[in-house]
Amino acid sequence: MNEEIYVTKPVLPPMEEYMEYLKDIWETHNLTNVGKYTRQLMIELMQFMNSRHCLPTVNGHMALEMTIQAMELSGEVITTPFTFASTTHAIVRNGLTPVFCDIRESDCTIDPDKIEDLITDKTTAIVPVHVYGMPCDVEKIEAIAKKHNLKVIYDAAHAFGEEYKGKSISKYGDACMFSFHATKSFNTIEGGLAVVHNTKALTRVYQLHNFGIMDEENVEFVGANAKMNEFQAIMGLCNLKHFEENRLKRKEIYDYYRQELSSVEGIRMLSYDEDNLKLNYSYCPIFVDPDVYGMNRDELAEVLLSHHIHARKYFYPITSQFACYQAENYKADVPVAERLSKQVLTIPLYTDLALEDAARICNIIRDKQ
Ligand code: T4K
């Protein structure tokens, strides 16, 4: 019997590497509250991204929520519904109103040509998502933001380690955040990173992530607890060393899928500009056109499951359709996002996935049984 194959499997470093750091933690009893390993990880990440402005956090969601809070926004925020719950929740939990913009068919990122129509005198920011690590149209978004004096905060949860047009993807926008969750291409067990280019706003994120405490007797902001702990940080220090070799292993599997699935009628993979993008290959979404393929996405998911392959419907339903937002009447004229969310299936892609298993997955998709 085949073993279960999940959409992803967390990357773990060699155990001895993690144990070396653990011994030191056992010596010092320094477990959290921006300890030395969290600071070391921050420095190594700055070097890795060639950036001076970042802060590790307990998870990616809190990095996003705190970054939005630090921007002191009000009113409406234009965003995409083709994303994980976190993006929309981070906006709403900041007391802001999400205005949903449709996405591009080609790469599932926010459609920049549809943003301006949604801008009102209440709009203060755009929160686009580099979904599956596909970069948004950063130039067009920047031009719109400049023209209308809006902040741009990228949800780059999926895009850690990527370079776009010769620079780290973290450099685009006023700010961005990454997720270092176990399921991501780089993990700190749970974890995240806020990258904020304005020093004053970054300082605010730093204060907010420790309850808004300024010193022992002075609390200036309504913050929360979003601090990374030392066990997370050492996982990051270990995994960072292996990031590039792991990325290349996933590239091999992704390229294999591309080669094998390109001839299957009714199955589409996203295209991207290879000359300008260093992708991290975290996700492999495929899109099932039921009229051409002869089976719909849900049926294909069932077939894969009957072979113990757990593909996932990232992202279905779109966030504007969540039960918790039904009563809100948020603007959401998003036909492309609605259609693609019914077609998408994210198939297994992770560092340790054997090529034989990828081959088996391709055969099942090709044979539909
Ligand atoms: N923005 C975007 C666009 C995001 O996608 C996310 C997170 C965020 C913001 C927020 O970042 P974080 O606060 O999470 O850092 C998973 C992840 O939990 C979530 O991080 C991620 N996006 C989302 C797309 O996927 P689930 O509910 O689908 O995870 P789960 O538990 O079903 O795991 C998926 C598969 O991975 C499992 O079937 C088996 C495998 N797995 C998972 C874990 C946790 C393992 O093998 N080992 C593990 O420890 O959300």
Side-chain angles (χ1 to χ4, degrees):
M1 201 186 86
N2 291 316
E3 14 169 307
E4 308 299 309
I5 295 186
Y6 294 98
V7 68
T8 192
K9 185 174 169 190
V11 177
L12 287 172
M15 200 195 260
E16 323 74 77
E17 292 183 15
Y18 194 72
M19 297 297 279
E20 243 349 272
Y21 286 111
L22 270 188
K23 282 187 209 151
D24 186 54
I25 291 181
W26 249 252
E27 291 285 314
T28 63
H29 291 244
N30 192 342
L31 309 188
T32 187
N33 284 8
V34 201
K36 74 171 176 186
Y37 290 123
T38 303
R39 293 196 301 273
Q40 187 182 332
L41 179 65
M42 182 169 78
I43 290 165
E44 292 198 14
L45 290 170
M46 285 184 199
Q47 287 162 350
F48 181 80
M49 298 183 308
N50 187 22
S51 159
R52 288 184 299 124
H53 299 102
C54 70
L55 178 70
T57 53
V58 68
N59 58 47
H61 177 81
M62 289 309 285
L64 185 57
E65 204 172 299
M66 305 263 120
T67 302
I68 293 174
Q69 188 180 351
M71 294 287 166
E72 300 185 316
L73 307 171
S74 61
E76 297 175 356
V77 172
I78 297 175
T79 188
T80 163
F82 194 87
T83 184
F84 191 57
S86 172
T87 319
T88 309
H89 287 353
I91 294 168
V92 173
R93 285 168 58 85
N94 269 294
L96 301 162
T97 303
V99 173
F100 294 106
C101 181
D102 212 354
I103 58 171
R104 301 193 286 203
E105 180 98 32
S106 58
D107 62 6
C108 296
T109 65
I110 197 164
D111 187 339
D113 297 331
K114 295 186 181 151
I115 293 177
E116 277 197 289
D117 284 350
L118 298 172
I119 295 175
T120 69
D121 55 3
K122 296 199 192 81
T123 311
T124 52
I126 310 173
V127 176
V129 179
H130 299 308
V131 67
Y132 313 124
M134 295 291 159
C136 298
D137 191 332
V138 289
E139 280 102 7
K140 275 196 187 166
I141 292 171
E142 188 182 332
I144 295 167
K146 249 196 193 135
K147 182 171 159 196
H148 298 273
N149 193 24
L150 307 174
K151 295 274 188 248
V152 179
I153 301 142
Y154 282 106
D155 178 334
H158 302 173
F160 178 74
E162 293 190 352
E163 284 171 19
Y164 183 51
K165 300 205 170 164
K167 59 181 183 179
S168 162
I169 198 141
S170 67
K171 303 270 186 188
Y172 296 98
D174 294 281
C176 75
M177 54 63 70
F178 297 105
S179 166
F180 297 161
H181 184 261
T183 54
K184 300 295 187 294
S185 54
F186 168 73
N187 85 76
T188 59
I189 310 171
E190 291 261 3
L193 190 75
V195 181
V196 183
H197 302 303
N198 174 295
T199 314
K200 194 168 152 237
L202 180 66
T203 307
R204 180 66 61 87
V205 176
Y206 183 83
Q207 291 154 346
L208 289 170
H209 102 309
N210 186 26
F211 304 100
I213 295 174
M214 311 299 280
D215 60 49
E216 278 183 38
E217 297 184 3
N218 184 17
V219 180
E220 277 192 22
F221 308 105
V222 184
N225 182 357
K227 295 175 293 265
M228 178 174 275
N229 69 52
E230 294 288 89
F231 298 87
Q232 295 175 291
I234 64 173
M235 182 63 92
L237 289 169
C238 294
N239 277 336
L240 196 56
K241 292 192 187 79
H242 302 280
F243 179 81
E244 186 57 16
E245 82 198 54
N246 290 337
R247 188 187 76 85
L248 292 173
K249 284 187 196 162
R250 290 189 303 275
K251 178 176 179 356
E252 198 186 336
I253 301 158
Y254 189 91
D255 288 345
Y256 177 81
Y257 276 139
R258 249 202 322 197
Q259 173 198 309
E260 294 299 308
L261 297 178
S262 61
S263 56
V264 183
E265 287 193 18
I267 298 289
R268 172 174 77 98
M269 280 176 68
L270 297 180
S271 53
Y272 69 95
D273 177 0
E274 271 188 82
D275 294 338
N276 280 315
L277 175 65
K278 183 175 158 197
L279 188 63
N280 66 16
Y281 307 99
S282 296
Y283 292 93
C284 186
I286 62 170
F287 295 82
V288 183
D289 180 340
D291 297 333
V292 182
Y293 184 64
M295 185 182 263
N296 67 31
R297 183 272 311 272
D298 291 348
E299 289 163 338
L300 176 59
E302 283 301 317
V303 172
L304 286 164
L305 199 54
S306 72
H307 293 273
H308 307 273
I309 293 157
H310 301 250
R312 291 291 291 266
K313 299 168 195 175
Y314 295 137
F315 290 100
Y316 173 84
I318 51 175
T319 63
S320 52
Q321 293 172 337
F322 284 0
C324 57
Y325 295 133
Q326 283 317 292
E328 301 296 341
N329 237 347
Y330 295 139
K331 257 183 239 162
D333 179 13
V334 290
V336 180
E338 276 170 26
R339 177 165 48 79
L340 293 184
S341 79
K342 289 183 192 137
Q343 295 187 346
V344 71
L345 195 60
T346 310
I347 59 176
L349 175 61
Y350 48 85
T351 306
D352 293 341
L353 184 68
L355 265 184
E356 303 85 79
D357 285 325
R360 209 155 54 79
I361 291 167
C362 291
N363 286 338
I364 296 166
I365 295 172
R366 203 177 293 114
D367 300 343
K368 305 180 188 122
Q369 57 179 354

Short mmCIF file of all heavy atoms in Angstrom, two decimals, residues 6-10 59-62 64 83-84 86-87 129 155 157-158 177 179-184 190-191 283 312 314-315, ligand 1:
data_model
loop_
_atom_site.label_atom_id
_atom_site.label_comp_id
_atom_site.label_asym_id
_atom_site.label_seq_id
_atom_site.Cartn_x
_atom_site.Cartn_y
_atom_site.Cartn_z
N TYR A 6 1.11 14.14 1.39
CA TYR A 6 0.39 15.38 1.66
C TYR A 6 0.88 16.49 0.72
O TYR A 6 1.90 16.34 0.06
CB TYR A 6 0.57 15.78 3.13
CG TYR A 6 -0.09 14.78 4.04
CD1 TYR A 6 0.65 13.77 4.64
CD2 TYR A 6 -1.47 14.81 4.24
CE1 TYR A 6 0.03 12.81 5.45
CE2 TYR A 6 -2.10 13.86 5.03
CZ TYR A 6 -1.34 12.87 5.63
OH TYR A 6 -1.96 11.91 6.39
N VAL A 7 0.14 17.56 0.71
CA VAL A 7 0.47 18.67 -0.20
C VAL A 7 1.87 19.20 0.09
O VAL A 7 2.59 19.65 -0.81
CB VAL A 7 -0.61 19.77 -0.12
CG1 VAL A 7 -0.60 20.49 1.23
CG2 VAL A 7 -0.48 20.76 -1.26
N THR A 8 2.26 19.10 1.34
CA THR A 8 3.62 19.50 1.69
C THR A 8 4.11 18.71 2.89
O THR A 8 3.33 18.02 3.55
CB THR A 8 3.70 21.01 1.97
OG1 THR A 8 5.07 21.39 2.03
CG2 THR A 8 3.00 21.42 3.24
N LYS A 9 5.40 18.79 3.12
CA LYS A 9 6.02 18.12 4.26
C LYS A 9 7.11 19.06 4.75
O LYS A 9 7.98 19.44 3.96
CB LYS A 9 6.62 16.80 3.77
CG LYS A 9 7.20 15.93 4.83
CD LYS A 9 7.62 14.61 4.17
CE LYS A 9 8.44 13.78 5.09
NZ LYS A 9 9.01 12.64 4.37
N PRO A 10 7.04 19.47 6.02
CA PRO A 10 8.00 20.47 6.47
C PRO A 10 9.46 20.05 6.29
O PRO A 10 9.80 18.89 6.45
CB PRO A 10 7.67 20.61 7.96
CG PRO A 10 6.26 20.18 8.08
CD PRO A 10 6.07 19.10 7.05
N ASN A 59 4.50 34.42 14.18
CA ASN A 59 3.92 33.77 12.98
C ASN A 59 3.74 34.84 11.90
O ASN A 59 3.93 36.04 12.16
CB ASN A 59 2.59 33.06 13.30
CG ASN A 59 1.55 33.99 13.89
OD1 ASN A 59 1.33 35.09 13.38
ND2 ASN A 59 0.92 33.58 14.96
N GLY A 60 3.38 34.40 10.71
CA GLY A 60 3.23 35.35 9.61
C GLY A 60 2.02 36.25 9.79
O GLY A 60 2.06 37.44 9.47
N HIS A 61 0.94 35.68 10.33
CA HIS A 61 -0.28 36.48 10.48
C HIS A 61 -0.03 37.70 11.36
O HIS A 61 -0.44 38.82 11.02
CB HIS A 61 -1.43 35.65 11.06
CG HIS A 61 -2.64 36.49 11.28
ND1 HIS A 61 -3.49 36.81 10.25
CD2 HIS A 61 -3.07 37.16 12.36
CE1 HIS A 61 -4.42 37.64 10.71
NE2 HIS A 61 -4.19 37.87 11.98
N MET A 62 0.64 37.49 12.50
CA MET A 62 0.88 38.63 13.39
C MET A 62 1.80 39.66 12.74
O MET A 62 1.66 40.86 12.97
CB MET A 62 1.44 38.16 14.74
CG MET A 62 0.42 37.43 15.60
SD MET A 62 -1.14 38.32 15.82
CE MET A 62 -0.68 39.58 16.99
N LEU A 64 1.73 40.45 9.66
CA LEU A 64 0.86 41.23 8.78
C LEU A 64 -0.05 42.16 9.58
O LEU A 64 -0.18 43.35 9.27
CB LEU A 64 0.03 40.26 7.91
CG LEU A 64 -0.85 40.90 6.84
CD1 LEU A 64 -0.03 41.75 5.88
CD2 LEU A 64 -1.61 39.82 6.04
N THR A 83 -6.77 34.19 -1.58
CA THR A 83 -5.70 34.12 -0.60
C THR A 83 -6.15 33.30 0.59
O THR A 83 -7.30 32.85 0.66
CB THR A 83 -5.28 35.54 -0.18
OG1 THR A 83 -4.16 35.46 0.72
CG2 THR A 83 -6.41 36.30 0.51
N PHE A 84 -5.25 33.13 1.53
CA PHE A 84 -5.56 32.43 2.78
C PHE A 84 -6.32 33.40 3.69
O PHE A 84 -6.20 34.63 3.56
CB PHE A 84 -4.24 32.01 3.43
CG PHE A 84 -4.37 31.05 4.58
CD1 PHE A 84 -5.01 29.84 4.44
CD2 PHE A 84 -3.81 31.36 5.81
CE1 PHE A 84 -5.10 28.94 5.50
CE2 PHE A 84 -3.88 30.47 6.88
CZ PHE A 84 -4.53 29.27 6.72
N SER A 86 -5.83 34.59 6.46
CA SER A 86 -5.00 35.56 7.18
C SER A 86 -5.04 36.96 6.57
O SER A 86 -5.12 37.96 7.30
CB SER A 86 -3.56 35.05 7.20
OG SER A 86 -2.70 36.01 7.71
N THR A 87 -4.96 37.06 5.26
CA THR A 87 -4.83 38.37 4.61
C THR A 87 -6.05 39.24 4.95
O THR A 87 -5.91 40.39 5.40
CB THR A 87 -4.73 38.22 3.08
OG1 THR A 87 -3.90 37.11 2.76
CG2 THR A 87 -4.20 39.49 2.43
N VAL A 129 -1.24 40.23 -2.69
CA VAL A 129 -0.60 38.98 -2.22
C VAL A 129 0.25 38.40 -3.36
O VAL A 129 -0.25 38.23 -4.47
CB VAL A 129 -1.67 37.95 -1.81
CG1 VAL A 129 -1.00 36.65 -1.34
CG2 VAL A 129 -2.58 38.50 -0.72
N ASP A 155 1.41 41.05 1.16
CA ASP A 155 1.39 39.75 1.83
C ASP A 155 2.29 38.86 0.98
O ASP A 155 1.90 38.40 -0.10
CB ASP A 155 -0.04 39.21 1.90
CG ASP A 155 -0.11 37.83 2.56
OD1 ASP A 155 0.91 37.11 2.51
OD2 ASP A 155 -1.17 37.47 3.09
N ALA A 157 3.64 36.10 2.17
CA ALA A 157 3.73 34.87 2.98
C ALA A 157 4.37 33.73 2.20
O ALA A 157 5.14 32.94 2.76
CB ALA A 157 2.34 34.45 3.46
N HIS A 158 4.08 33.64 0.90
CA HIS A 158 4.56 32.50 0.09
C HIS A 158 5.89 32.77 -0.60
O HIS A 158 6.36 31.91 -1.35
CB HIS A 158 3.54 32.19 -1.02
CG HIS A 158 2.17 31.87 -0.54
ND1 HIS A 158 1.10 31.69 -1.38
CD2 HIS A 158 1.68 31.70 0.71
CE1 HIS A 158 0.01 31.43 -0.68
NE2 HIS A 158 0.34 31.43 0.59
N MET A 177 5.36 41.10 4.45
CA MET A 177 5.59 40.09 5.49
C MET A 177 5.75 38.72 4.85
O MET A 177 5.25 38.47 3.75
CB MET A 177 4.46 40.04 6.53
CG MET A 177 3.05 39.86 6.03
SD MET A 177 2.60 38.34 5.17
CE MET A 177 2.65 37.16 6.49
N SER A 179 5.71 34.39 5.76
CA SER A 179 5.35 33.35 6.72
C SER A 179 6.47 32.33 6.79
O SER A 179 6.97 31.88 5.75
CB SER A 179 4.06 32.64 6.29
OG SER A 179 3.90 31.45 7.04
N PHE A 180 6.85 31.98 8.01
CA PHE A 180 7.83 30.91 8.22
C PHE A 180 7.14 29.70 8.85
O PHE A 180 7.71 29.00 9.69
CB PHE A 180 8.97 31.40 9.13
CG PHE A 180 9.79 32.55 8.57
CD1 PHE A 180 10.56 33.33 9.42
CD2 PHE A 180 9.81 32.84 7.20
CE1 PHE A 180 11.34 34.38 8.93
CE2 PHE A 180 10.58 33.89 6.70
CZ PHE A 180 11.34 34.66 7.57
N HIS A 181 5.88 29.50 8.49
CA HIS A 181 5.13 28.36 9.02
C HIS A 181 5.75 27.05 8.53
O HIS A 181 6.39 27.01 7.47
CB HIS A 181 3.67 28.46 8.55
CG HIS A 181 2.79 27.39 9.11
ND1 HIS A 181 2.46 26.25 8.39
CD2 HIS A 181 2.19 27.27 10.32
CE1 HIS A 181 1.69 25.48 9.14
NE2 HIS A 181 1.51 26.08 10.31
N ALA A 182 5.51 25.99 9.30
CA ALA A 182 6.06 24.66 8.96
C ALA A 182 5.84 24.27 7.50
O ALA A 182 6.66 23.57 6.90
CB ALA A 182 5.41 23.62 9.87
N THR A 183 4.73 24.72 6.92
CA THR A 183 4.39 24.31 5.56
C THR A 183 5.09 25.14 4.49
O THR A 183 4.89 24.89 3.29
CB THR A 183 2.86 24.43 5.36
OG1 THR A 183 2.47 25.77 5.71
CG2 THR A 183 2.10 23.44 6.22
N LYS A 184 5.87 26.12 4.89
CA LYS A 184 6.51 27.01 3.90
C LYS A 184 7.91 26.52 3.52
O LYS A 184 8.48 25.67 4.20
CB LYS A 184 6.58 28.43 4.47
CG LYS A 184 5.23 29.03 4.80
CD LYS A 184 4.40 29.23 3.54
CE LYS A 184 3.10 29.98 3.80
NZ LYS A 184 2.13 29.28 4.64
N GLU A 190 6.59 27.61 13.59
CA GLU A 190 5.69 28.70 13.26
C GLU A 190 6.61 29.91 13.19
O GLU A 190 7.69 29.91 13.78
CB GLU A 190 4.67 28.94 14.37
CG GLU A 190 3.63 27.86 14.56
CD GLU A 190 2.29 28.18 13.89
OE1 GLU A 190 2.17 29.24 13.24
OE2 GLU A 190 1.38 27.36 14.05
N GLY A 191 6.20 30.95 12.52
CA GLY A 191 7.04 32.14 12.52
C GLY A 191 6.73 33.03 11.35
O GLY A 191 5.96 32.66 10.45
N TYR A 283 4.73 26.06 -3.89
CA TYR A 283 3.41 25.51 -4.23
C TYR A 283 3.38 25.14 -5.70
O TYR A 283 4.02 25.80 -6.52
CB TYR A 283 2.31 26.57 -3.98
CG TYR A 283 2.11 26.91 -2.53
CD1 TYR A 283 2.79 27.98 -1.95
CD2 TYR A 283 1.24 26.16 -1.74
CE1 TYR A 283 2.59 28.30 -0.61
CE2 TYR A 283 1.04 26.47 -0.41
CZ TYR A 283 1.72 27.54 0.16
OH TYR A 283 1.53 27.84 1.49
N ARG A 312 -4.57 19.92 -2.22
CA ARG A 312 -5.41 20.87 -1.48
C ARG A 312 -5.98 21.94 -2.40
O ARG A 312 -5.38 22.28 -3.41
CB ARG A 312 -4.58 21.54 -0.37
CG ARG A 312 -4.20 20.58 0.75
CD ARG A 312 -5.40 20.14 1.58
NE ARG A 312 -5.91 21.25 2.35
CZ ARG A 312 -5.56 21.51 3.60
NH1 ARG A 312 -4.73 20.73 4.25
NH2 ARG A 312 -6.06 22.55 4.22
N TYR A 314 -6.11 25.16 -2.39
CA TYR A 314 -5.65 26.52 -2.06
C TYR A 314 -5.83 27.39 -3.29
O TYR A 314 -5.16 27.15 -4.30
CB TYR A 314 -4.17 26.53 -1.68
CG TYR A 314 -3.81 25.79 -0.41
CD1 TYR A 314 -2.68 24.98 -0.38
CD2 TYR A 314 -4.56 25.91 0.75
CE1 TYR A 314 -2.30 24.31 0.77
CE2 TYR A 314 -4.19 25.23 1.90
CZ TYR A 314 -3.07 24.43 1.91
OH TYR A 314 -2.70 23.78 3.06
N PHE A 315 -6.79 28.32 -3.38
CA PHE A 315 -7.58 28.88 -2.32
C PHE A 315 -9.05 28.84 -2.70
O PHE A 315 -9.49 29.61 -3.55
CB PHE A 315 -7.12 30.31 -2.04
CG PHE A 315 -5.75 30.28 -1.40
CD1 PHE A 315 -4.62 30.53 -2.15
CD2 PHE A 315 -5.62 29.96 -0.06
CE1 PHE A 315 -3.36 30.49 -1.55
CE2 PHE A 315 -4.36 29.93 0.54
CZ PHE A 315 -3.23 30.19 -0.21
N1 T4K B 1 -0.95 35.03 4.10
C1 T4K B 1 -1.04 33.98 3.28
C2 T4K B 1 -1.26 34.23 1.82
C3 T4K B 1 -0.91 32.67 3.76
O1 T4K B 1 -1.02 31.63 2.92
C4 T4K B 1 -0.68 32.47 5.14
C5 T4K B 1 -0.55 31.13 5.67
C6 T4K B 1 -0.57 33.61 5.97
C7 T4K B 1 -0.72 34.87 5.40
C8 T4K B 1 -0.34 33.52 7.45
O2 T4K B 1 0.92 32.98 7.80
P1 T4K B 1 1.08 32.11 9.17
O3 T4K B 1 0.49 32.91 10.27
O4 T4K B 1 0.40 30.78 8.98
O5 T4K B 1 2.58 32.00 9.30
C9 T4K B 1 -1.54 26.14 6.02
C10 T4K B 1 -0.63 26.93 6.93
O6 T4K B 1 -0.96 26.72 8.30
C11 T4K B 1 -0.63 28.40 6.67
O7 T4K B 1 0.59 28.89 7.21
C12 T4K B 1 -0.64 28.72 5.18
N2 T4K B 1 -0.75 30.13 4.91
C13 T4K B 1 -1.76 27.98 4.49
C14 T4K B 1 -1.78 28.23 3.00
O8 T4K B 1 -1.57 26.58 4.69
P2 T4K B 1 -3.67 24.67 6.49
O9 T4K B 1 -4.79 24.85 7.45
O10 T4K B 1 -3.98 24.32 5.10
O11 T4K B 1 -2.56 23.65 7.08
P3 T4K B 1 -2.63 22.10 7.37
O12 T4K B 1 -2.42 21.88 8.83
O13 T4K B 1 -3.84 21.51 6.77
O14 T4K B 1 -1.30 21.59 6.63
C15 T4K B 1 -1.25 21.29 5.25
C16 T4K B 1 -0.55 19.96 5.08
O15 T4K B 1 0.81 20.07 5.47
C17 T4K B 1 -1.12 18.84 5.92
O16 T4K B 1 -2.09 18.16 5.18
C18 T4K B 1 0.06 17.95 6.22
C19 T4K B 1 1.26 18.87 6.09
N3 T4K B 1 1.84 19.19 7.40
C20 T4K B 1 1.37 20.29 8.09
C21 T4K B 1 1.92 20.62 9.31
C22 T4K B 1 1.41 21.81 10.09
C23 T4K B 1 2.86 18.41 7.91
O17 T4K B 1 3.27 17.41 7.28
N4 T4K B 1 3.42 18.75 9.12
C24 T4K B 1 2.99 19.82 9.84
O18 T4K B 1 3.54 20.09 10.94
O19 T4K B 1 -2.85 26.06 6.53
#
